[in-house]
Amino acid sequence: MNNIFKILSVFVICVVVASCSKSSNNDVEPLRDYTEQYTADLALINTYIDTHYITRDADYNVTFDTLLPTGGHSSIRTDPAFQLKDTLVAQDGIHYKVYFIKFREGTKDRPTQVDSVHVAYKGINLLKSATFDQAITPTWFKLQEVIKGWSHIIPNFHTGTYTPGTGGNGTTFDNFGAGVMFLPSGLAYYSSAAGTIPAYSPIIFSFKLYELRYRDHDGDGILSKDERRLSPLVNANVRWKENPLGNDYNGDGSIDISSTLYDSDGDGVVDSPESYDIDGDGYVNMYDIDDDGDHVLTRVEIKQYTDPITLKVHLFGFNGAVVDDPTTPYDERLGIPRKYTGPVNNTTHLTTPLPADYTDPTRLRRHLDPTNYPPYE
């Protein structure tokens, strides 16, 4: 028995010594300064844009090549066919300048930073002009779970239309958004290596946005994109606006930075996409099943009626419609009303324009009013 303990002791000592020796020879690189790294990345991206050209086919598949001394092509920056754009993105105390190209904006729906997108893409190592990842067949991603650059640039585009395949043929996509983004490492993988991409690498993505799913994180019947903050809580019912490029939302006289993050209340702090917590309970609305803290579930407060046959619960829409739909017995486009102020028949066809309770854009919707709870009628 003593011999066994001696053998085990020697083994443990050897492992510890080997581990210490290995650690001393492979020290982890200290985290680089974000400002210094961004400066270096931006210089590399600018050089690449000035020394390379783009070739694009009819389906928006993209290749990058180095400009030849003999000419024949325009650089990415000077090619009038592509119109290189840039936007500022606030992250880690840096205002990142991000270049991107809109080959086509798309014609249908626009995602927000909290939604899921169906995209085909190709990722390119800027330093080697080599593909490190791609999905020719579109795949689904939640924008909250991918690199930051995607969540800022993809919402600048719209989805398109599609025709489901028949007889073994695949789905046909048309009018989709397509583009390219040039990302500094701070909006990509930064200090983490990713496959063949070393740490601190600027990268390029070409992409095609085919479809999206608006998410409802807390399952309360209100899409998460409608539960995000736009303005100070004194006007907390205002919905988050999609992709506010080039706007001055807080009225301070300067254009708000970033395509989707900005300082809405002028407090000097850029808003988080999840900063809207109307009842101050520590749970932002997009994750809070009782948004106003009145102990009545939000899903209950926005309930319109229960179908007596199917028992399906119908909910108010977030904004509502000004006119009703004469082809349906119930107008499900009613907006979430303010605190109940008078009789409204929700179970018969409406023949008059909707009351201000349902359409006034400045109303405090009843699921955000802690003094308003069922029964309403």
Side-chain angles (χ1 to χ4, degrees):
M1 182 65 72
N2 288 337
N3 287 335
I4 293 176
F5 282 120
K6 289 179 181 178
I7 292 172
L8 290 175
S9 299
V10 171
F11 176 75
V12 170
I13 291 171
C14 290
V15 169
V16 171
V17 171
S19 298
C20 292
S21 176
K22 184 176 181 180
S23 298
S24 63
N25 293 328
N26 295 275
D27 292 334
V28 177
E29 179 183 356
L31 190 67
R32 295 183 185 177
D33 178 80
Y34 282 102
T35 301
E36 293 178 1
Q37 185 60 42
Y38 165 59
T39 301
D41 288 345
L42 185 60
L44 291 171
I45 292 172
N46 275 316
T47 298
Y48 188 95
I49 288 173
D50 290 328
T51 58
H52 288 74
Y53 68 94
I54 292 177
T55 303
R56 186 200 72 197
D57 66 16
D59 197 37
Y60 298 93
N61 297 307
V62 178
T63 57
F64 298 86
D65 292 288
T66 304
L67 289 170
L68 299 175
T70 55
H73 296 281
S74 298
S75 71
I76 296 172
R77 191 184 306 277
T78 60
D79 194 330
F82 301 137
Q83 297 181 1
L84 183 69
K85 301 176 181 289
D86 64 77
T87 186
L88 294 178
V89 173
Q91 184 76 30
D92 300 315
I94 307 294
H95 289 172
Y96 288 98
K97 183 177 184 179
V98 181
Y99 292 105
F100 66 101
I101 296 173
K102 278 188 180 181
F103 295 132
R104 184 167 63 184
E105 184 168 330
T107 59
K108 196 178 177 184
D109 299 319
R110 187 193 300 275
T112 73
Q113 288 182 313
V114 297
D115 297 313
S116 296
V117 293
H118 197 216
V119 294
Y121 67 91
K122 180 167 67 173
I124 297 170
N125 183 336
L126 182 140
L127 297 178
K128 297 183 178 180
S129 289
T131 300
F132 68 89
D133 186 20
Q134 67 177 331
I136 298 175
T137 301
T139 187
W140 283 98
F141 290 101
K142 297 175 181 177
L143 284 178
Q144 288 174 288
E145 298 178 1
V146 295
I147 58 176
K148 293 294 184 181
W150 273 46
S151 65
H152 287 284
I153 299 303
I154 295 293
N156 286 281
F157 295 78
H158 292 260
T159 62
T161 57
Y162 61 90
T163 304
T166 57
N169 297 319
T171 299
T172 301
F173 294 94
D174 296 296
N175 307 310
F176 50 81
V180 172
M181 63 180 86
F182 301 84
L183 301 179
S185 62
L187 297 177
Y189 304 106
Y190 201 57
S191 60
S192 300
T196 60
I197 297 295
Y200 304 108
S201 295
I203 58 178
I204 307 169
F205 276 102
S206 63
F207 57 90
K208 293 178 275 189
L209 174 60
Y210 290 131
E211 187 55 284
L212 67 84
R213 294 185 187 129
Y214 289 124
R215 300 178 66 193
D216 178 8
H217 288 73
D218 54 7
D220 64 359
I222 303 177
L223 296 176
S224 296
K225 71 185 182 70
D226 291 324
E227 296 200 82
R228 295 176 59 186
R229 180 180 180 185
L230 169 64
S231 60
L233 295 186
V234 295
N235 193 15
N237 57 290
V238 179
R239 75 177 287 191
W240 178 83
K241 291 189 176 180
E242 300 163 1
N243 192 42
L245 271 176
N247 291 302
D248 175 17
Y249 277 101
N250 60 21
D252 64 358
S254 61
I255 298 300
D256 299 313
I257 62 172
S258 173
S259 61
T260 42
L261 292 183
Y262 41 86
D263 176 15
S264 62
D265 53 8
D267 63 358
V269 179
V270 174
D271 299 327
S272 162
E274 303 168 2
S275 62
Y276 185 5
D277 176 16
I278 186 65
D279 58 3
D281 63 354
Y283 296 93
V284 292
N285 287 12
M286 62 185 289
Y287 298 117
D288 193 346
I289 60 175
D290 176 16
D291 291 331
D292 56 2
D294 62 358
H295 306 294
V296 179
L297 296 179
T298 297
R299 176 171 285 274
V300 174
E301 293 202 77
I302 66 170
K303 177 181 175 182
Q304 184 177 345
Y305 66 92
T306 301
D307 189 291
I309 298 177
T310 65
L311 300 182
K312 179 181 178 181
V313 176
H314 295 256
L315 304 176
F316 288 104
F318 185 80
N319 282 321
V322 177
V323 295
D324 60 340
D325 184 352
T327 65
T328 60
Y330 304 108
D331 191 349
E332 294 179 44
R333 295 181 298 161
L334 291 172
I336 301 170
R338 62 162 59 91
K339 188 172 182 177
Y340 181 68
T341 57
V344 176
N345 190 345
N346 292 333
T347 59
T348 61
H349 175 62
L350 298 175
T351 59
T352 58
L354 304 182
D357 272 349
Y358 294 87
T359 59
D360 181 359
T362 65
R363 70 191 184 280
L364 179 62
R365 293 164 176 82
R366 68 187 187 189
H367 73 288
L368 300 177
D369 184 349
T371 68
N372 190 35
Y373 42 85
Y376 299 111
E377 292 82 12

